[in-house]
Amino acid sequence: MLNSTGELELSNEDNPEIISELASLALSGGKSSAGVPEKTGYPDSVYVMAANIFQGIRIEKSAQKVLIQYGNEPLRSLSESEDQSFRRLSYELAFSALKYQDILETILIDSCIFPSTTIPDHLSSLIIVMLYDFQDRKFQTRVLSDNEESISEVQEVENLLNSFKIKLAAALARCRIKHDALSIYHILPETVRKQELRASTLPLYAWINTCKISPEEVYNNLKRRGYHKVKSVLHVDDKVFAVDQHCYDVLIFPSHLQNDLINIDLFKDYKLIFQDKSRSLAVHSVKALLNMDDDILMVNTGSWYTVAHMSVLTNNNTSKVFVCGVQSQAKDPDLKTLFTKMGCKNIEILHDLFINIELKDHRLQKVKVILLLPRCSGLGVSNPVEFILNEHEDTEFLKDHSQGGISEDKLHILAQQQYEQLTHAMKFTKAQAVVYCTCSVYPEENEAVVKKALEFQDLGNKVQPYRLSPPVLPLCSLKEIQLSTDKFFRVEPSEITNGCFISILTRERDPSETVSVKDVLARAAAKGLLEGIELGKSSKREKKKKKSKTSLTKAATTDNGIQMKIAEFLNRETKASANLSETLTKPPLPQKNTAQVGASSQTRKPNKLAPNPTVPTFMKSTCPSRPRERQAHLMRPRPEDRMVALKPIEIVLPPVFMPFSSPQGIRSQMPAQHFYCHWVAPKALVPTSLPTPSLARKGEKPKDDTPSSLLRPPRPWL
């Protein structure tokens, strides 16, 4: 029990002068402004949990500077609530007490609470967190709910603070006067104040779980609830949301809508998940480097939501997501339950530290990309409480932020740990890429670690070395382009986002390895470069090769057929020439037969006579030259004709047209009466008077360049 009898008696002797002093302190000491409801305090369980958190992250001082002794035993809590809002309140209260630890300890000493009262050391943390809330409420009495369960330790500390509230208010006023500050908020370092200012305006980021809902359905659901889609949510007090420029599945909301959003079904059913944007940038960088069946190894993920986001992005692939560092197997059922609720099916948990995983582990033979999220100082984060709740449970993260910086010794230790993890990731021979992501603003944790790892990488193995690759994320502004000139992706802390650093190391592919067309198309589809194209289709080059092979086979078959046709044609011509020579030696037919033939067959002009028996001797020496000249004139060389070797053959055609070459000598022998004399050629001789352009071009219709009078018999009836 606390020895506070004297203080309780003092509190009953309040006079109007002291009350007026407290009123003036309340008006000038707090950060609250008009329109903001006054705080009424927290439940007892929040104070206990905040005290336990503060006990683990408080700043330890040297023995000469120790003012208050803190115990090592945590306070007993009635129940461990898993409610996110409950945990957020506890972390915020503990972090606020940590920022003002020096000031709160000074007030306790100045008000004579220490060392006049007998206070157990294990209650010192509870006194600090409850004192911060007491002064933040302007020393007003806490309002308790009827159904709230009380904790004895909290009740004892609250009675003690109420009994010393006049002295506490006076000590606070003297502290403000000493630092010439309107409130204790202005006593904080400038870096801490800037962080708090950015945290007050930092929007909320949430990614869409496409395993359970599509983006269009999310938009429609939000619109039915009164939300409107805009391009920017800055300085907007209405219910709005926007789509992130870097990540297509990330939505942005104003910070004041947090309490409204966490109570809607989209967040309760894991269809929308709050997460810092830096983690979404990391998993999208990995997604851009994956092929269809590549596995991923995630290191130091912190939040299981990051693992779930990676699983959702690879849901349509055959990839597996391996997570290392889960030492306690007792968490496996809870994690499997969480992943089942989120619709994630390709996650496998490894109960080994990353640094202890063997390079030839048979489970990791298909791992092509390693995502490394090392523990860092995190000074690029504006709201560390939200980052811890959504990313990891490392409360040391809060200690660095409470001071606005980090010591050089601690920075060196963190950089060395990051270097060891990165070099170990580069030793996996099957991996082709490493994505290194931090939320730090220190070059010692970012560029220096990556450059050192590249410089001293092990080149003894028969693998290609790693190199620095440019960002795979879109650069949406001129500032981002300027910050990425050295192939690093950087986002500076601002009022719209936390700081982020991403480096991509890729291994130069072995020249002996080949990439299949399927992998190339899959990677292009992952980047959104292909729309409506099926991956199973073969490329145009392959189709062209197959087509060329088929055409060559057809061409060879066609050429053989042409050769056979030429041989048959020449045989027919030889037989026709022999039959023609026999026919020309016979006497002319009677007139009756000639007339009958003229009535049923082709006729000639009346001034023409039957061929003279002496003509064939002349034709044998003159006719063969004309078909050669005509054939040479009609033939046009084409590339495919070179593939067919043709030999010139002398063809003797029947002397059908030569009587017209000497009409004077023949006309004198004709009878006085008019009659028609016709030469009836065999059917096989019809094509002998035609040129043969089909030999020059295959597949084309012959072009008739000869006069029609030489090709057709005259028609006197026209």
Side-chain angles (χ1 to χ4, degrees):
M1 293 294 295
L2 300 180
N3 186 9
S4 57
T5 306
E7 285 74 14
L8 287 174
E9 294 177 354
L10 179 61
S11 63
N12 293 328
E13 298 177 358
D14 294 345
N15 54 47
E17 298 174 346
I18 298 177
I19 295 175
S20 62
E21 180 182 357
L22 292 175
S24 63
L25 289 172
L27 291 174
S28 62
K31 294 184 294 181
S32 301
S33 59
V36 179
E38 294 184 358
K39 296 182 179 180
T40 59
Y42 299 98
D44 289 6
S45 55
V46 172
Y47 289 121
V48 172
M49 185 174 183
N52 290 333
I53 296 173
F54 177 82
Q55 177 69 25
I57 63 176
R58 64 181 177 82
I59 301 172
E60 297 182 359
K61 301 178 180 179
S62 60
Q64 295 80 10
K65 297 182 179 180
V66 171
L67 301 178
I68 298 177
Q69 297 291 338
Y70 293 90
N72 297 323
E73 298 179 1
L75 296 175
R76 181 181 56 87
S77 179
L78 295 178
S79 62
E80 293 293 336
S81 176
E82 297 295 333
D83 183 62
Q84 186 78 353
S85 60
F86 174 87
R87 298 175 65 246
R88 179 177 289 104
L89 293 175
S90 301
Y91 272 96
E92 288 177 348
L93 182 57
F95 181 58
S96 299
L98 181 64
K99 289 185 293 184
Y100 299 100
Q101 179 180 343
D102 290 341
I103 300 174
L104 296 174
E105 288 179 351
T106 302
I107 293 175
L108 288 174
I109 298 298
D110 193 18
S111 62
C112 298
I113 291 182
F114 285 95
S116 62
T117 57
T118 305
I119 302 175
D121 292 344
H122 71 280
L123 293 181
S124 299
S125 298
L126 183 59
I127 292 175
I128 291 291
V129 297
M130 292 189 69
L131 175 59
Y132 171 79
D133 178 60
F134 195 30
Q135 66 83 30
D136 196 33
R137 288 187 281 116
K138 304 176 184 178
F139 300 101
Q140 300 299 314
T141 305
R142 181 169 63 117
V143 178
L144 300 176
S145 59
D146 297 335
N147 56 353
E148 183 180 347
E149 188 174 2
S150 62
I151 300 176
S152 59
E153 290 85 355
V154 175
Q155 297 298 322
E156 292 176 6
V157 172
E158 185 172 24
N159 293 334
L160 174 66
L161 296 178
N162 282 326
S163 65
F164 277 88
K165 70 177 180 181
I166 298 176
K167 292 184 177 181
L168 291 173
L172 177 60
R174 286 191 294 269
C175 183
R176 287 168 34 216
I177 294 172
K178 178 181 177 181
H179 293 87
D180 193 19
L182 295 176
S183 67
I184 60 174
Y185 169 76
H186 296 89
I187 303 176
L188 293 175
E190 184 178 0
T191 55
V192 178
R193 296 202 304 269
K194 288 183 178 180
Q195 285 181 355
E196 289 195 359
L197 181 61
R198 289 199 304 266
S200 62
T201 61
L202 189 68
L204 304 173
Y205 291 87
W207 55 271
I208 302 172
N209 186 356
T210 53
C211 289
K212 305 189 70 174
I213 193 171
S214 66
E216 290 74 16
E217 291 175 335
V218 173
Y219 303 157
N220 295 333
N221 192 311
L222 291 174
K223 289 179 181 178
R224 288 195 298 268
R225 296 178 178 273
Y227 288 82
H228 304 284
K229 187 177 179 181
V230 295
K231 293 184 177 180
S232 176
V233 299
L234 284 180
H235 311 297
V236 178
D237 295 332
D238 200 3
K239 298 175 68 174
V240 297
F241 70 94
V243 180
D244 186 68
Q245 294 180 331
H246 298 97
C247 308
Y248 61 87
D249 61 341
V250 175
L251 301 184
I252 312 173
F253 298 91
S255 58
H256 69 272
L257 297 176
Q258 182 172 4
N259 293 331
D260 180 60
L261 291 171
I262 60 178
N263 294 320
I264 66 176
D265 295 337
L266 289 175
F267 287 90
K268 290 181 178 180
D269 298 338
Y270 296 102
K271 296 177 180 179
L272 276 178
I273 294 92
F274 284 123
Q275 193 165 27
D276 187 71
K277 182 182 175 180
S278 62
R279 296 310 188 234
S280 297
L281 292 173
V283 296
H284 274 274
S285 297
V286 174
K287 172 63 177 176
L289 298 170
L290 289 176
N291 294 327
M292 288 292 292
D293 56 348
D294 291 346
D295 292 345
I296 308 107
L297 176 61
M298 302 184 68
V299 184
N300 295 342
T301 55
S303 173
W304 297 113
Y305 292 154
T306 307
V307 180
H309 196 182
M310 188 77 261
S311 174
V312 170
L313 289 179
T314 58
N315 184 53
N316 295 328
N317 299 356
T318 58
S319 304
K320 281 188 177 181
V321 180
F322 293 93
V323 186
C324 62
V326 184
Q327 300 181 17
S328 176
Q329 297 185 6
K331 293 184 177 180
D332 286 1
D334 296 336
L335 294 177
K336 291 181 180 179
T337 302
L338 174 64
F339 293 145
T340 302
K341 290 180 179 179
M342 301 184 72
C344 304
K345 302 178 181 179
N346 58 343
I347 300 174
E348 186 170 339
I349 300 174
L350 306 178
H351 299 282
D352 300 314
L353 292 176
F354 175 64
I355 204 69
N356 297 331
I357 294 179
E358 296 182 3
L359 301 179
K360 296 183 179 179
D361 194 322
H362 67 279
R363 298 170 296 181
L364 307 179
Q365 294 304 306
K366 291 180 62 178
V367 170
K368 298 300 181 182
V369 183
I370 300 176
L371 174 57
L372 186 58
L373 301 167
R375 179 178 175 271
C376 61
S377 60
L379 266 298
V381 177
S382 300
N383 193 340
V385 172
E386 284 295 331
F387 192 82
I388 284 180
L389 293 174
N390 296 328
E391 302 308 321
H392 53 75
E393 297 293 338
D394 188 3
T395 53
E396 287 289 328
F397 192 76
L398 295 175
K399 185 183 295 186
D400 300 332
H401 274 263
S402 66
Q403 305 301 311
I406 187 174
S407 64
E408 293 184 3
D409 294 339
K410 189 172 183 179
L411 183 62
H412 176 73
I413 294 174
L414 290 174
Q416 183 62 26
Q417 294 174 354
Q418 295 155 1
Y419 170 74
E420 293 175 357
Q421 291 183 349
L422 182 56
T423 53
H424 186 67
M426 296 168 65
K427 293 179 182 178
F428 286 82
T429 56
K430 297 294 184 179
Q432 295 294 331
V434 178
V435 178
Y436 179 84
C437 177
T438 73
C439 54
S440 174
V441 295
Y442 293 113
E444 292 84 352
E445 297 182 277
N446 299 334
E447 298 91 337
V449 172
V450 175
K451 292 179 180 178
K452 182 180 178 181
L454 289 174
E455 182 180 357
F456 296 101
Q457 61 179 312
D458 186 11
L459 302 178
N461 298 328
K462 296 181 180 180
V463 293
Q464 297 295 320
Y466 276 100
R467 63 177 179 178
L468 188 63
S469 296
V472 293
L473 296 171
L475 304 178
C476 303
S477 64
L478 179 61
K479 187 175 183 180
E480 290 182 1
I481 296 175
Q482 294 173 350
L483 293 174
S484 304
T485 53
D486 53 356
K487 297 184 179 181
F488 295 115
F489 183 86
R490 299 183 184 87
V491 177
E492 293 183 343
S494 64
E495 60 180 354
I496 61 174
T497 182
N498 290 323
C500 179
F501 172 86
I502 296 178
S503 175
I504 297 178
L505 307 181
T506 56
R507 193 193 301 277
E508 295 185 5
R509 190 172 295 276
D510 192 344
S512 61
E513 297 182 2
T514 57
V515 182
S516 63
V517 177
K518 180 181 177 182
D519 290 341
V520 175
L521 293 177
R523 184 175 297 180
K527 295 181 179 180
L529 302 179
L530 301 179
E531 294 182 1
I533 300 179
E534 298 180 1
L535 299 181
K537 295 183 179 180
S538 59
S539 62
K540 292 183 179 180
R541 183 176 297 178
E542 293 178 353
K543 289 183 177 180
K544 190 174 182 180
K545 288 182 180 179
K546 293 180 181 179
K547 187 176 181 180
S548 62
K549 291 181 181 179
T550 306
S551 62
L552 289 176
T553 305
K554 291 182 178 179
T557 306
T558 306
D559 293 341
N560 294 334
I562 292 175
Q563 292 287 354
M564 295 176 64
K565 291 181 180 180
I566 292 175
E568 293 176 0
F569 175 75
L570 294 178
N571 291 334
R572 288 198 306 267
E573 293 298 323
T574 303
K575 293 180 181 180
S577 299
N579 295 334
L580 180 62
S581 60
E582 294 178 0
T583 305
L584 293 177
T585 56
K586 294 180 180 180
L589 295 176
Q591 184 175 358
K592 181 179 178 180
N593 296 339
T594 304
Q596 292 176 356
V597 172
S600 60
S601 62
Q602 297 177 352
T603 58
R604 297 187 183 277
K605 292 182 180 182
N607 58 349
K608 308 296 180 181
L609 295 177
N612 198 314
T614 61
V615 175
T617 304
F618 174 77
M619 284 296 299
K620 289 181 181 179
S621 59
T622 59
C623 283
S625 62
R626 299 181 69 180
R628 285 199 198 98
E629 294 175 0
R630 189 179 298 113
Q631 184 175 355
H633 175 70
L634 293 176
M635 290 179 62
R636 296 180 183 179
R638 298 184 72 180
E640 57 266 22
D641 289 338
R642 299 176 184 176
M643 300 164 57
V644 181
L646 300 179
K647 296 181 180 180
I649 298 176
E650 182 175 346
I651 302 174
V652 179
L653 299 177
V656 177
F657 308 113
M658 292 312 300
F660 305 107
S661 60
S662 55
Q664 299 295 331
I666 298 176
R667 189 175 297 137
S668 59
Q669 302 177 5
M670 292 178 61
Q673 59 180 355
H674 296 280
F675 65 94
Y676 300 98
C677 182
H678 304 278
W679 170 67
V680 181
K683 294 182 180 180
L685 297 180
V686 174
T688 58
S689 62
L690 298 175
T692 59
S694 61
L695 300 180
R697 291 187 185 183
K698 53 184 179 180
E700 281 192 12
K701 294 182 180 180
K703 294 181 180 181
D704 192 359
D705 293 339
T706 57
S708 60
S709 61
L710 298 179
L711 297 178
R712 298 185 182 88
R715 300 178 181 178
W717 59 82
L718 297 178

